[in-house]
Amino acid sequence: MGIKQLKDPIYGYVKIDSNIFTNIIDTACFQRLRNIRQTSYGPLYSAALHNRFTHSIGVYHLGIIAISAIEKVVPKGIEEATFSNFCIKYKRLFSLACLLHDVGHAPFSHSGEAFYILPKPDELYARMIGEVGDERFEKDASSYHAKSKAAAPHEIMSVIIALERFKEFFQTAEQKAFLARCITGYKYQNIEDEEINLQNCIISSLNSSLIDVDRLDYLIRDSAVTGFESVSIDYIRLLNSLLIVYDEKDKKYEVAYGKGAISIIENVIFAHDAERKWIQNHPVVLYEHYLVQCAIRTVNAHYISDTKKSLFCVEALTQEGCDFGDNRHISLLCDDDIIYLAKNVYPNDLTNEYFSRKDRRHPVWKSEAEYRALFDRKLGDESLDELEEDFSSIEKFLNLKADEPIINEITLQLCKDELTEAEQQDLGPDQETTISGYKTRIKWMECLKSFSESVGIEFDYVLIGANKFKSGFMKEELMEIPIYFPNLGETKRFGHVVTALSSSRKRDKFFYLYYQRRDKPLEIGKITSHIKRALV
Amino acid sequence: MCIFIGIEELVANALIELLEKTKEREVTLDKLCEYGAVVVRVLNKKGDEAALVLSRDKTNELVANYADLFEFKDYPDGTSAIALKENVTADILRAQFRVYLPLDVLLAFKNAESVRALGV
């Protein structure tokens, strides 16, 4: 079996067997990932141009390191030959799962994936079950769905694409099911034997709530590509410490880290915290995500209403593609298609704003810290709660109701019209809350309107809610990570050996308010004073 | 117009209906999914494209963000449910999860056909 190499700027040479290279990586289906941007960080970090292709290769590489480490240490209670056979059977499958885990990702990655579930949400799930064709997988998947813990739409789509397009690599039902389990994270629910238990261990190495090879690659890659200064993650030391241990209490095998990895686990959490806090929650990035979603929503809505078919269907992701009612053929759906359609076929003010940075709305305050400095102490908890709830109500209402979720004359009138309609209906116990809700929204919209008139700017605002930062150190799952101490011959939980940070905070949401700057920069003090007066 | 209904809206509105009509303080996840499917159908009939957002990430967020209101319960027979914490009333849920609903979405949550899916 020949080997080919790809040079990756982070990991150096990534070795891949020629068969996988030719029959997966070089196919149109996989090459599509070159045109799916990994993040929406571009407006903040202009070099953030990396794509799902490089990320998938990176995860493949880390997956090989992880499984190679795991196979070196025979878990207690398992025969060496048995474990060796298990690793031979699943190593290649696991590496393929790592390579293909994002093969079904939507244009603009997470901004687009919600649209996979329109117009018939169950279809995607049913298609995945059909492709896998394994009763036990269906039962376990159903159990996850029943608990509202379904895999993300892009994960389901990736299983479908991987099994439909790369059949020769997954010939038995067992192989298909394992691939599907790795990508979706659907572990076996009933563990009746060692092999099933060990499979669950391998599955969690790609799909876990805390640390897995997917997250590791994107944390390292996002930092390296953007230039964002983050902590260094010694991924080699971390992954080489992986082993499978037996938990006497729960009577099952699980993946553990060697004690030498404790500091690196902390670094992973630090890095993830930093990315979430300073990049993902940055108002410019949030606004980019908002514009992209509006553009996709506009474009896709035209397709659904005209053709009853979502642009975000399985067929549109393939090389064969799909015909749509507007005499358009779409294949290998990627960012460029959405950009073309938004720019040339279905433009509107919001899509135009995506393309012209100069015309973008600006955030009134630019960070959670600034928001807190402006509002937190001066208003008092109760008033601030009221403000945040009211603005959250406006944001949610507009997202559910308005084609363009902007606070302006149109949506103000929409609220007034719906208030009139609500007053004429008998809503029973909901009458008071509903009427009060509309009146509150109208009050705040009128407040912003009067402010705009007083300073001579447009009555035109966008509200985007943001989550107040919660560190990954507060996650329960972190406390449960098993750490193996070879000198003690014992496994301890991370939470028992590392001091946990904890804090409690009553309110966990805040918001950004964006306005049309044009040539009139806003004095931040003026608008915040106006808002505070309205509260009082 | 595409309407995405999140798990928190689905859970809260289901529990409002159950609490007020049957005094039940929890909803099984099976019933929740059925309820959601009917709500979507009701909205689709009115010409809106609606979908439920019930992925694992969103469900985990529900537990994290609204821990003061809801809790998960797992039963020995394998069923799971979301229950209201003590002292949480329909009015509390209403103030938080119905106050912002557009009229058509509110009516879909209250629709007789939707509520029947909850076993009421």
Side-chain angles (χ1 to χ4, degrees):
Chain A
M1 207 163 36
I3 298 285
K4 287 192 176 182
Q5 298 186 110
L6 270 176
K7 184 85 184 274
D8 181 86
I10 295 163
Y11 307 129
Y13 285 102
V14 175
K15 293 181 167 54
I16 305 171
D17 93 47
S18 307
N19 185 28
I20 294 175
F21 217 106
T22 305
N23 295 307
I24 294 182
I25 292 174
D26 278 349
T27 64
C29 207
F30 195 88
Q31 292 288 315
R32 181 185 79 93
L33 298 180
R34 288 185 188 273
N35 299 310
I36 307 269
R37 223 159 298 175
Q38 175 81 10
T39 71
S40 52
Y41 303 167
L44 198 59
Y45 291 96
S46 49
L49 300 171
H50 53 309
N51 51 52
R52 289 279 157 191
F53 179 91
T54 52
H55 167 63
S56 297
I57 300 292
V59 174
Y60 171 84
H61 178 69
L62 293 182
I64 297 276
I65 298 175
I67 192 92
S68 300
I70 285 172
E71 74 178 341
K72 283 191 181 120
V73 180
V74 180
K76 187 171 125 181
I78 298 184
E79 297 272 336
E80 190 173 336
T82 306
F83 188 63
S84 174
N85 289 339
F86 170 84
C87 291
I88 289 169
K89 187 175 173 186
Y90 289 104
K91 184 173 181 175
R92 184 176 158 87
L93 282 172
F94 175 72
S95 66
L96 289 174
C98 290
L99 185 66
L100 292 167
H101 81 288
D102 272 348
V103 75
H105 230 306
F108 294 97
S109 295
H110 296 295
S111 298
E113 77 167 309
F115 297 89
Y116 275 152
I117 57 178
L118 293 172
K120 289 181 186 161
D122 294 336
E123 263 186 21
L124 209 61
Y125 171 75
R127 193 158 171 172
M128 175 184 70
I129 297 296
E131 276 300 329
V132 176
D134 179 82
E135 212 175 290
R136 191 161 176 184
F137 175 78
E138 184 176 355
K139 194 171 166 205
D140 290 338
S142 171
S143 155
Y144 275 91
H145 278 245
K147 292 178 189 170
S148 297
K149 296 217 171 191
H154 80 272
E155 290 170 340
I156 297 176
M157 186 64 91
S158 293
V159 171
I160 295 169
I161 298 288
L163 293 180
E164 284 186 4
R165 295 284 128 174
F166 305 113
K167 285 181 173 34
E168 68 269 35
F169 291 92
F170 312 102
Q171 293 186 356
T172 67
E174 200 185 357
Q175 288 171 336
K176 291 177 192 177
F178 182 72
L179 172 92
R181 288 180 186 277
C182 283
I183 292 179
T184 57
Y186 291 160
K187 292 183 185 174
Y188 286 92
Q189 297 298 285
N190 294 317
I191 303 171
E192 66 262 5
D193 63 41
E194 260 170 18
E195 180 163 319
I196 297 291
N197 195 171
L198 291 176
Q199 280 194 53
N200 276 355
C201 291
I202 305 302
I203 289 162
S204 66
S205 302
L206 175 58
N207 199 316
S208 150
S209 62
L210 210 58
I211 301 179
D212 56 45
V213 290
D214 182 8
R215 177 164 293 169
L216 263 184
D217 180 79
Y218 80 65
L219 282 176
I220 297 169
R221 190 170 302 277
D222 289 353
S223 170
V225 171
T226 59
F228 175 71
E229 303 284 351
S230 184
V231 292
S232 166
I233 296 176
D234 189 344
Y235 65 91
I236 294 178
R237 186 176 166 128
L238 180 71
L239 295 176
N240 278 341
S241 82
L242 282 171
L243 71 164
I244 293 176
V245 297
Y246 186 72
D247 178 16
E248 297 286 349
K249 193 176 120 214
D250 291 336
K251 303 275 179 250
K252 63 175 185 174
Y253 289 98
E254 53 185 358
V255 173
Y257 294 86
K259 67 178 172 74
I262 290 177
S263 63
I264 307 158
I265 292 172
E266 288 201 5
N267 278 358
V268 171
I269 306 300
F270 277 130
H272 194 221
D273 279 355
E275 182 162 332
R276 280 190 304 119
K277 188 171 185 182
W278 299 113
I279 307 184
Q280 288 177 10
N281 265 341
H282 194 286
V284 166
V285 171
L286 289 175
Y287 198 65
E288 171 88 354
H289 174 81
Y290 164 84
L291 289 177
V292 166
Q293 283 222 310
C294 287
I296 294 174
R297 190 162 28 174
T298 301
V299 166
N300 204 36
H302 281 285
Y303 277 86
I304 292 177
S305 73
D306 297 346
T307 70
K308 295 293 168 223
K309 201 179 192 176
S310 171
L311 194 53
F312 286 66
C313 60
V314 176
E315 287 68 29
L317 268 62
T318 63
Q319 191 169 15
E320 295 75 24
C322 188
D323 288 326
F324 290 89
D326 59 348
N327 286 325
R328 212 171 297 277
H329 182 83
I330 302 282
S331 62
L332 303 169
L333 184 71
C334 64
D335 294 5
D336 298 339
D337 296 299
I338 302 299
I339 288 174
Y340 173 82
L341 291 167
K343 201 168 36 161
N344 301 300
V345 184
Y346 304 113
N348 63 20
D349 288 343
L350 283 170
T351 58
N352 291 338
E353 194 179 343
Y354 174 78
F355 296 111
S356 174
R357 179 93 187 237
K358 152 171 113 67
D359 295 328
R360 284 200 184 184
R361 292 175 180 85
H362 285 257
V364 176
W365 42 88
K366 295 176 176 57
S367 67
E368 183 182 344
E370 195 170 8
Y371 170 84
R372 285 166 152 295
L374 285 165
F375 289 108
D376 237 359
R377 293 192 191 285
K378 290 169 191 166
L379 284 181
D381 277 355
E382 217 174 287
S383 294
L384 195 48
D385 276 347
E386 187 189 330
L387 176 69
E388 288 170 0
E389 280 162 19
D390 290 351
F391 274 61
S392 170
S393 167
I394 297 172
E395 186 207 6
K396 287 178 182 177
F397 173 82
L398 291 179
N399 282 335
L400 285 170
K401 189 68 193 180
D403 288 325
E404 291 187 0
I406 301 168
I407 300 171
N408 56 18
E409 286 291 357
I410 297 172
T411 49
L412 174 57
Q413 191 57 50
L414 176 69
C415 275
K416 288 177 176 173
D417 292 344
E418 288 218 347
L419 171 61
T420 305
E421 200 184 330
E423 283 168 337
Q424 289 164 0
Q425 295 221 17
D426 177 11
L427 299 171
D430 294 301
Q431 192 82 25
E432 200 183 312
T433 308
T434 303
I435 305 286
S436 160
Y438 277 109
K439 286 183 175 174
T440 301
R441 286 189 284 280
I442 290 167
K443 165 194 139 183
W444 282 112
M445 289 163 108
E446 298 273 19
C447 166
L448 289 171
K449 180 178 173 179
S450 71
F451 173 77
S452 304
E453 284 164 358
S454 71
V455 297
I457 62 171
E458 280 175 67
F459 172 41
D460 178 298
Y461 297 90
V462 165
L463 252 184
I464 297 176
N467 288 320
K468 284 183 185 165
F469 176 70
K470 269 187 199 147
S471 171
F473 282 104
M474 283 156 55
K475 271 191 170 181
E476 269 181 45
E477 297 95 312
L478 176 67
M479 300 302 127
E480 293 303 314
I481 291 180
I483 305 291
Y484 180 67
F485 289 82
N487 48 339
L488 304 175
E490 276 178 32
T491 304
K492 301 281 184 194
R493 300 290 155 182
F494 190 87
H496 293 154
V497 298
V498 175
T499 309
L501 302 171
S502 66
S503 71
S504 62
R505 193 177 297 155
K506 196 180 162 195
R507 286 185 317 283
D508 57 5
K509 276 204 171 279
F510 70 110
F511 56 91
Y512 287 109
L513 185 66
Y514 301 79
Y515 74 104
Q516 290 279 15
R517 190 165 75 176
R518 309 279 188 228
D519 55 358
K520 275 183 182 273
L522 191 60
E523 272 187 54
I524 191 172
K526 278 190 174 171
I527 189 168
T528 49
S529 296
H530 196 85
I531 290 172
K532 286 174 202 170
R533 274 198 299 275
L535 251 185
V536 171
Chain B
M1 178 67 213
C2 302
I3 300 174
F4 293 107
I5 296 173
I7 180 144
E8 66 272 18
E9 277 129 23
L10 194 65
V11 166
N13 281 279
L15 284 167
I16 290 171
E17 294 302 316
L18 281 170
L19 198 53
E20 292 196 323
K21 293 181 166 66
T22 67
K23 304 218 185 308
E24 280 177 46
R25 296 184 63 80
E26 63 179 59
V27 59
T28 65
L29 293 169
D30 286 343
K31 285 267 173 279
L32 195 64
C33 287
E34 284 170 32
Y35 174 64
V38 179
V39 167
V40 163
R41 205 160 56 233
V42 167
L43 283 166
N44 287 344
K45 271 190 211 163
K46 289 189 171 184
D48 286 319
E49 291 298 330
L52 304 172
V53 185
L54 298 180
S55 69
R56 181 172 39 225
D57 294 343
K58 298 297 177 193
T59 304
N60 290 340
E61 273 176 32
L62 173 79
V63 172
N65 293 342
Y66 300 106
D68 54 333
L69 299 174
F70 308 117
E71 58 184 353
F72 266 105
K73 281 186 171 180
D74 287 315
Y75 291 105
D77 64 354
T79 55
S80 297
I82 299 179
L84 287 174
K85 290 240 171 119
E86 205 179 321
N87 299 327
V88 176
T89 62
D91 283 341
I92 290 173
L93 294 179
R94 194 172 263 122
Q96 204 160 341
F97 298 101
R98 277 197 174 173
V99 68
Y100 58 82
L101 294 180
L103 210 47
D104 51 352
V105 178
L106 171 66
L107 292 172
F109 277 126
K110 286 162 64 77
N111 184 280
E113 195 188 338
S114 307
V115 173
R116 263 198 304 276
L118 289 169
V120 175

